[in-house]
Amino acid sequence: MKKIKSIQHKVGSPLVNMGDIQLRQPLPIQGIENVDPFLLLHHYGPYAISEFNNPFDLGAHPHRGFEPITLLFKGEQLHRDSLGNEMLVKEGDVQWTTAGRGVVHAEAPSKEFVEKGGELEGIQLWLNLPASKKMMPANYQHIKSERIPVVLNTDKTIQLNVVAGSQADKFGLITTQTSVNVFTVKAKKEGIMDIDIPETHQSLVYLLDGEVLINNIATLKKGATQMVTFNNDGDFIKIDAKKESTLLVLSGEPINEKVAQYGPYVMNTQTEIMEAMRDYQKGKMGFLY
């Protein structure tokens, strides 16, 4: 007998300043340090990008000990990294970097996109790695939107894209280091969909746009409550879209390890953080020109 998960937290998605840009940060937020193994969720945009306005140009910066993930909902970004990858990430695409022992990367709207202008919107996630994998070799995966497996609800009003993990016998193409599900959900109009989530997984639903009722009790709406987290007491969640809506659904087996975090590094101890800073300064994470 299937059992619906109970809701643990309901939170908004406040705007925070990051350098020259404002973006929404529902995680971490007061009362929720993380939804283990997910450490950070940034929702950026939609920004109107043009030759006169291009704030989202992230120069070269390092990472170690976790997986920075970008899901692009609108626009185009150019990704470059110290592994030698240079990829154009388009609307609907996903880039999944396993920083491991260290990587340097840069992201910015592509030159062509800036010249023609348009809206840029995306999600950046930080997914933790267990201690045993924090120093693994860095890796980069890029999945184009047309290759992402799709699950539809019965009346075909809601489409769930399986980025990572599995749903309804469809499996994501991303190779994951731990047991996680990453789904994007697009409701064209009103509709209902049940989404299976393992009982042992920590989980959340985040609304980018629209209006959705979760588990018949929590309404998500932009500018109000935009994220709910769940208790580990059931094996599915119910989505009831009230109009055209876009959602992110995340779940993962908790790692349950101490987290030491400083800037772009996520390790288990402060000593490891100091080592990461030294290694970056010595060029051990590679270079990006």
Side-chain angles (χ1 to χ4, degrees), residues 95-107:
Q95 58 170 22
W96 191 295
T97 303
T98 304
R101 66 172 67 133
V103 70
V104 179
H105 72 166
E107 292 175 282

Side-chain angles (χ1 to χ4, degrees), residues 211-227:
E211 184 179 343
V212 171
L213 182 66
I214 303 292
N215 290 2
N216 301 321
I217 53 168
T219 296
L220 299 185
K221 201 171 182 179
K222 192 165 184 180
T225 298
Q226 278 185 243
M227 187 177 84

Side-chain angles (χ1 to χ4, degrees), residues 3 41 93 158 178 185 229 234 242:
K3 184 186 174 193
L41 197 167
D93 290 4
I158 301 178
T178 57
V185 178
T229 67
K242 299 304 180 185

Side-chain angles (χ1 to χ4, degrees), residues 49-51 112-119:
I49 301 292
S50 69
E51 292 180 284
E112 294 74 18
F113 183 67
V114 172
E115 285 171 358
K116 72 183 176 191
E119 281 198 318

Side-chain angles (χ1 to χ4, degrees), residues 199-241:
E199 189 168 342
T200 55
H201 278 204
Q202 304 265 39
S203 51
L204 68 85
V205 173
Y206 177 74
L207 177 123
L208 286 83
D209 208 4
E211 184 179 343
V212 171
L213 182 66
I214 303 292
N215 290 2
N216 301 321
I217 53 168
T219 296
L220 299 185
K221 201 171 182 179
K222 192 165 184 180
T225 298
Q226 278 185 243
M227 187 177 84
V228 287
T229 67
F230 301 91
N231 292 304
N232 297 24
D233 58 357
D235 50 18
F236 80 100
I237 57 175
K238 182 183 283 292
I239 285 172
D240 182 356

Side-chain angles (χ1 to χ4, degrees), residues 14-238:
L15 287 163
V16 297
N17 292 314
M18 297 285 289
D20 295 333
I21 60 171
Q22 272 201 330
L23 48 73
R24 295 185 179 277
Q25 181 180 299
L27 186 72
I29 196 169
Q30 189 173 357
I32 312 176
E33 197 173 324
N34 58 52
V35 179
D36 189 8
F38 299 97
L39 304 171
L40 175 141
L41 197 167
H42 276 165
H43 174 197
Y44 58 90
Y47 306 124
I49 301 292
S50 69
E51 292 180 284
F52 311 103
N53 182 51
N54 181 19
F56 196 77
D57 190 341
L58 301 180
H61 57 283
H63 289 301
R64 172 179 279 182
F66 69 102
E67 297 185 288
I69 300 157
T70 300
L71 302 103
L72 198 62
F73 289 86
K74 293 178 182 174
E76 284 181 7
Q77 283 178 202
L78 182 67
H79 165 94
R80 299 184 303 120
D81 64 40
S82 53
L83 302 172
N85 296 298
E86 185 166 312
M87 303 290 268
L88 186 63
V89 185
K90 296 189 172 184
E91 185 173 314
D93 290 4
V94 175
Q95 58 170 22
W96 191 295
T97 303
T98 304
R101 66 172 67 133
V103 70
V104 179
H105 72 166
E107 292 175 282
S110 65
K111 188 175 171 223
E112 294 74 18
F113 183 67
V114 172
E115 285 171 358
K116 72 183 176 191
E119 281 198 318
L120 181 73
E121 182 176 20
I123 293 279
Q124 173 147 90
L125 289 175
W126 284 19
L127 172 59
N128 200 10
L129 285 169
S132 60
K133 295 189 175 184
K134 284 193 179 296
M135 293 297 281
M136 68 182 285
N139 185 44
Y140 174 78
Q141 301 175 78
H142 178 192
I143 306 292
K144 292 183 180 293
S145 61
E146 59 268 23
R147 294 187 60 224
I148 297 174
V150 163
V151 177
L152 298 172
N153 67 339
T154 23
D155 55 4
K156 297 184 169 55
T157 55
I158 301 178
Q159 175 176 315
L160 180 147
N161 301 311
V162 185
V163 173
S166 64
Q167 188 70 200
D169 298 325
K170 298 285 178 74
F171 295 87
L173 301 178
I174 293 288
T175 300
T176 65
Q177 300 304 317
T178 57
S179 175
V180 293
N181 288 314
V182 176
F183 308 139
T184 58
V185 178
K186 183 74 181 176
K188 290 188 286 188
K189 54 180 182 179
E190 291 179 5
I192 292 173
M193 187 181 215
D194 288 353
I195 300 172
D196 293 331
I197 304 285
E199 189 168 342
T200 55
H201 278 204
Q202 304 265 39
S203 51
L204 68 85
V205 173
Y206 177 74
L207 177 123
L208 286 83
D209 208 4
E211 184 179 343
V212 171
L213 182 66
I214 303 292
N215 290 2
N216 301 321
I217 53 168
T219 296
L220 299 185
K221 201 171 182 179
K222 192 165 184 180
T225 298
Q226 278 185 243
M227 187 177 84
V228 287
T229 67
F230 301 91
N231 292 304
N232 297 24
D233 58 357
D235 50 18
F236 80 100
I237 57 175
K238 182 183 283 292

